[in-house]
Amino acid sequence: MANHSSTLATILGTTLVVGTLSSLGWYVYFTYQDDKDSQKKKKKRTLSLRSTKSSSTNDECSMEQQKYKPPFPKKIRNMLSNCRLAYLSTVDAEFSSSHLSLMRFTYWQHPEDGEVVIMSTNRNTKKYEFLKKQKGVALLVHDFGSGHDGQGMHSITLNGECRILPSGSNKAEEYRQRHLEHNPEYPQFIVGDDIDILCVDVTSARICDIQDQVVQWNVQDATTDVTTSTTPQNKHKNVVVVSKDLVQIPYIDLQTLFGNDEAISIGSTTVSTIQEISSLFANRLQYDALRLTFTSQQKQDLLQSLLDNLQDAFGPNGLGFLEVTHIPSEMVQLRSTLLPMAEQLANLPLQELKRLERPDDGWTIGWSHGKEHFKDGSYDMAKGSLYVNPFFGGNDNKNPNIYPPSLQPHLEERMMKMTRFMGQVGLWVGTLCDLYLQREATVTVDDDPWMITSSLVTGLAFKARLLYYFPKEVAIQDMQSHTELKEENMVFDDWCGQHKDHGSITALLPGMLCESNNHTTTKQNIGASSNAPYPPGLYIETRQGELVHASLASTSLGFQLGETLQIMSRGKFRATPHSVKAPTMGPKSSCGRASLAVFLQPMPNQVLPPLTESGMADDDDGYGLQHRWRNTFGEFQKATTNQFN
């Protein structure tokens, strides 16, 4: 009986959608005709739909007269970016006929065209014939059933004009490529000599959420009202930048504590490197058997001093950032030869870069550019990245890494050496985090006292990301007006919008500005590279909402915290909000930026503790931890990356 009820509900639901969208199509047609006749398209009327109790999902919602101002709010952009199926309603006024189609679509906030929906269709279809006669369309999109609890959040009726893009035009191919990237499993519906690209310019929308609240949206309502238009970036006029010294730990102190044969003992076995620890775990030794023993009072005193420094960096009053100073000179020299290769990589021919892409791996291996989007739905085109796993290399059959042949073997050799070094120092920092939590008595009886360290060494699932931020051309302004901040309409975090990493710990190599001139790359450390009021580079947001420029010396490494560490520590540590600013004035505005990050993270099957109130993020905008937490790291990582890819 239950199966029959489910089938009946499906049939009734489908009939309801079909009937409603047919009506929607006619409504849009007549409204569109009224607009043409009365206003000559100069200013279109809002295409608001009135509630008729037994209508579609949207029409069953209560008519709350609220409005979103363009662009779409970030929750809606995120939903549209993640969805792929929509119901398209078209009409033929001449023969009083309507048609409903289930369509693959791609939402895009195009820099020139605004809010658009991309679709494709064979020319030998009824909808294609209808669209040649009548441009007004309606689409229904919903994400019900897609959430981790089986329940989505919104249904949206989009109204607009549908353009058939000229076959073979640059615009058509640009949109076709974007559509194919969003729907890679269905090239048969997107690519072909008889397939045209459709573009719906969205003019109005009705948005209904799971709480039966309806909000109107109309493109004509676009204003500068910052209370309803949200972006992931910070405007200059709202930015408060303060000076704050970074907490430092000398590399030699970490090496003294952890990097020799006396430092760490598991039972009777001495361990000194990541590889040896991993090997022990491969033999199923439990990390709760670890007894960290220091053979001298001097080392015990050193440990307490380092834990005090860790508290200053990562504790309640800390910035969430730690600088490890005076790394080996060999690594300083390696940085100077590795980072310029990021620029060489990013400027390879597009065909060669395309061969480095691995979309089936979720863009977490190989080359990635323009595959992430901000909270507001806009795509991040400012940087390109090469992802690798530091602990796979050479001819290993399981090696997923891929490199451009034209930069081999130097790129792989330098990447492996540097990222493994950064990963080892990061593991030392992770062990200090465990020891700090033990000292502060924040580990519960149900917790593994070595949860952070053990989760990182088991499987060594680290990811490295070689980044290149493309030059940001900005007009040079009067140097006397810097303090007046004339470029107030520019976004502050224009190279990388403010965000938090979702892993445990992120190791950072100091960034380098790269200015190409006649194939010669001029390299400059980011810290003192600009005389603008706010120099380019990495910025950290304090818990008071101020920004601090995290200027690292070229002889240092930086470490910041991710959301997984926040979860594991039950909020004792907090993920580090950070962003990257481009040069805004002066000759350095034409520079690119190279950097390298190593993300220390657990294996996908790592169980995460329950999310406590103190472990939640401060914001509740649909992106906070309370919305993305899952039982395992793999599920949490998927929920997080789905928000931004």
Side-chain angles (χ1 to χ4, degrees):
M1 182 65 183
N3 289 338
H4 289 303
S5 299
S6 177
T7 302
L8 180 60
T10 300
I11 294 172
L12 289 174
T14 303
T15 303
L16 186 62
V17 169
V18 171
T20 301
L21 279 171
S22 179
S23 300
L24 282 173
W26 283 107
Y27 181 87
V28 171
Y29 168 73
F30 286 116
T31 306
Y32 177 77
Q33 290 299 112
D34 287 344
D35 287 340
K36 288 175 63 180
D37 295 339
S38 63
Q39 301 184 34
K40 303 297 183 182
K41 287 189 173 182
K42 186 175 182 180
K43 184 176 180 181
K44 287 192 175 137
R45 180 183 310 163
T46 302
L47 301 182
S48 303
L49 300 180
R50 301 300 176 186
S51 176
T52 55
K53 278 296 179 183
S54 60
S55 195
S56 71
T57 307
N58 278 15
D59 292 336
E60 292 171 350
C61 302
S62 61
M63 290 299 297
E64 297 281 341
Q65 292 303 313
Q66 304 178 49
K67 283 189 176 183
Y68 284 138
K69 292 183 182 293
F72 278 133
K74 52 193 171 184
K75 291 182 182 180
I76 304 307
R77 288 187 176 177
N78 181 66
M79 176 256 192
L80 290 172
S81 296
N82 288 332
C83 290
R84 287 171 171 78
L85 287 174
Y87 297 96
L88 170 67
S89 177
T90 52
V91 298
D92 185 345
E94 182 180 355
F95 295 101
S96 300
S97 177
S98 61
H99 186 63
L100 185 66
S101 307
L102 184 61
M103 303 289 290
R104 288 264 160 190
F105 79 94
T106 298
Y107 165 75
W108 192 7
Q109 187 204 8
H110 192 274
E112 297 176 357
D113 298 341
E115 315 279 354
V116 298
V117 174
I118 307 168
M119 297 176 289
S120 55
T121 184
N122 193 292
R123 298 189 192 102
N124 188 29
T125 59
K126 181 181 289 188
K127 60 177 168 288
Y128 187 81
E129 292 300 318
F130 282 11
L131 289 171
K132 289 195 298 184
K133 303 175 183 178
Q134 162 60 33
K135 304 302 182 184
V137 297
L139 294 105
L140 177 62
V141 183
H142 72 83
D143 65 351
F144 299 132
S146 63
H148 77 275
D149 55 0
Q151 190 174 59
M153 296 300 294
H154 298 92
S155 69
I156 306 175
T157 300
L158 302 171
N159 305 112
E161 296 182 28
C162 184
R163 293 179 284 141
I164 302 174
L165 300 183
S167 179
S169 66
N170 291 338
K171 180 72 73 174
E173 295 314 306
E174 177 190 13
Y175 277 39
R176 190 189 306 273
Q177 182 62 32
R178 175 68 69 167
H179 191 31
L180 187 60
E181 289 175 356
H182 192 58
N183 297 273
E185 305 91 349
Y186 296 91
Q188 66 272 31
F189 297 112
I190 301 173
V191 180
D193 294 337
D194 55 351
I195 295 177
D196 275 349
I197 297 297
L198 309 177
C199 173
V200 177
D201 299 306
V202 180
T203 57
S204 66
R206 292 180 68 256
I207 302 156
C208 178
D209 68 15
I210 199 67
Q211 302 301 325
D212 199 34
Q213 300 297 309
V214 175
V215 181
Q216 307 285 342
W217 182 94
N218 190 285
V219 73
Q220 296 295 338
D221 292 333
T223 72
T224 57
D225 185 351
V226 297
T227 62
T228 55
S229 180
T230 308
T231 68
Q233 293 106 341
N234 298 303
K235 297 293 183 183
H236 276 188
K237 58 185 177 182
N238 296 328
V239 167
V240 178
V241 179
V242 298
S243 177
K244 189 171 184 177
D245 292 334
L246 301 180
V247 177
Q248 298 178 337
I249 289 179
Y251 170 81
I252 189 64
D253 286 354
L254 291 172
Q255 186 182 44
T256 299
L257 202 60
F258 298 120
N260 58 58
D261 290 344
E262 295 179 318
I264 302 178
S265 298
I266 299 181
S268 60
T269 306
T270 300
V271 178
S272 61
T273 67
I274 286 181
Q275 289 82 356
E276 291 177 14
I277 295 176
S278 180
S279 177
L280 289 172
F281 272 88
N283 294 328
R284 302 193 176 191
L285 287 177
Q286 298 297 314
Y287 216 93
D288 58 14
L290 174 65
R291 295 297 178 265
L292 196 63
T293 322
F294 301 98
T295 58
S296 67
Q297 183 63 43
Q298 182 181 7
K299 287 188 177 179
Q300 293 181 25
D301 293 341
L302 176 59
L303 172 62
Q304 294 307 314
S305 174
L306 294 184
L307 293 182
D308 290 342
N309 287 340
L310 192 84
Q311 176 173 281
D312 292 340
F314 296 156
N317 300 315
L319 186 61
F321 196 87
L322 174 69
E323 181 177 7
V324 175
T325 63
H326 301 98
I327 63 175
S329 58
E330 177 187 7
M331 293 300 161
V332 177
Q333 178 61 31
L334 181 59
R335 168 185 174 270
S336 69
T337 59
L338 171 59
L339 288 186
M341 298 191 78
E343 183 187 28
Q344 298 174 37
L345 170 69
N347 287 288
L348 289 175
L350 292 179
Q351 299 88 337
E352 187 169 358
L353 291 174
K354 194 74 176 174
R355 288 193 288 270
L356 303 178
E357 293 182 348
R358 292 295 181 269
D360 292 343
D361 292 321
W363 308 100
T364 61
I365 286 291
W367 176 253
S368 172
H369 179 220
K371 309 305 177 186
E372 300 171 305
H373 61 75
F374 298 115
K375 287 182 179 181
D376 71 347
S378 60
Y379 283 87
D380 181 5
M381 305 298 292
K383 60 184 179 292
S385 308
L386 182 71
Y387 288 92
V388 302
N389 185 311
F391 295 97
F392 285 98
N395 297 320
D396 188 339
N397 291 332
K398 297 180 180 179
N399 182 7
N401 299 331
I402 184 168
Y403 300 90
S406 60
L407 297 181
Q408 286 288 74
H410 301 300
L411 180 58
E412 181 175 9
E413 290 173 352
R414 295 168 186 174
M415 280 283 286
M416 290 298 99
K417 188 171 184 178
M418 179 60 79
T419 55
R420 289 176 182 179
F421 169 74
M422 294 168 67
Q424 178 167 319
V425 180
L427 184 58
W428 293 344
V429 173
T431 304
L432 282 181
C433 290
D434 272 329
L435 289 165
Y436 172 77
L437 294 177
Q438 293 173 30
R439 189 183 78 169
E440 299 299 303
T442 59
V443 180
T444 69
V445 293
D446 297 326
D447 288 334
D448 175 1
W450 299 99
M451 177 182 289
I452 296 169
T453 313
S454 63
S455 69
L456 295 179
V457 299
T458 306
L460 297 174
F462 301 174
K463 282 291 173 68
R465 185 180 188 184
L466 182 65
L467 295 120
Y468 181 69
Y469 299 83
F470 294 96
K472 198 85 172 179
E473 298 290 345
V474 179
I476 300 176
Q477 301 188 16
D478 185 358
M479 304 304 287
Q480 299 299 322
S481 64
H482 284 176
T483 56
E484 297 176 13
L485 227 55
K486 294 291 188 179
E487 74 280 17
E488 59 183 6
N489 292 325
M490 299 297 296
V491 294
F492 187 87
D493 46 353
D494 43 5
W495 253 346
C496 182
Q498 185 170 288
H499 66 285
K500 302 172 186 175
D501 297 337
H502 69 268
S504 298
I505 299 171
T506 303
L508 297 169
L509 197 61
M512 177 185 292
L513 290 182
C514 303
E515 184 176 13
S516 293
N517 185 17
N518 296 326
H519 304 288
T520 300
T521 300
T522 301
K523 300 165 291 184
Q524 237 182 327
N525 195 40
I526 293 271
S529 58
S530 176
N531 58 354
Y534 303 136
L538 178 68
Y539 283 79
I540 308 297
E541 185 181 66
T542 69
R543 297 193 185 185
Q544 292 73 42
E546 300 167 329
L547 295 182
V548 174
H549 183 215
S551 179
L552 291 171
S554 60
T555 55
S556 297
L557 294 178
F559 292 90
Q560 60 194 25
L561 304 183
E563 292 176 321
T564 298
L565 201 71
Q566 180 170 324
I567 296 171
M568 286 184 169
S569 68
R570 301 180 186 275
K572 190 69 175 179
F573 296 127
R574 288 298 183 100
T576 309
H578 58 283
S579 58
V580 181
K581 183 186 181 303
T584 55
M585 301 178 194
K588 296 303 176 187
S589 62
S590 61
C591 288
R593 179 182 188 261
S595 67
L596 176 65
V598 175
F599 303 100
L600 284 73
Q601 59 190 34
M603 291 290 283
N605 61 356
Q606 172 68 43
V607 176
L608 298 180
L611 189 64
T612 61
E613 183 175 351
S614 62
M616 291 184 183
D618 295 330
D619 56 321
D620 184 12
D621 58 358
Y623 292 83
L625 282 179
Q626 60 268 45
H627 299 280
R628 294 179 286 110
W629 177 89
R630 303 291 188 271
N631 290 315
T632 66
F633 173 74
E635 294 170 343
F636 168 62
Q637 182 179 43
K638 183 178 180 181
T640 300
T641 55
N642 282 344
Q643 296 272 15
F644 301 102
N645 290 316

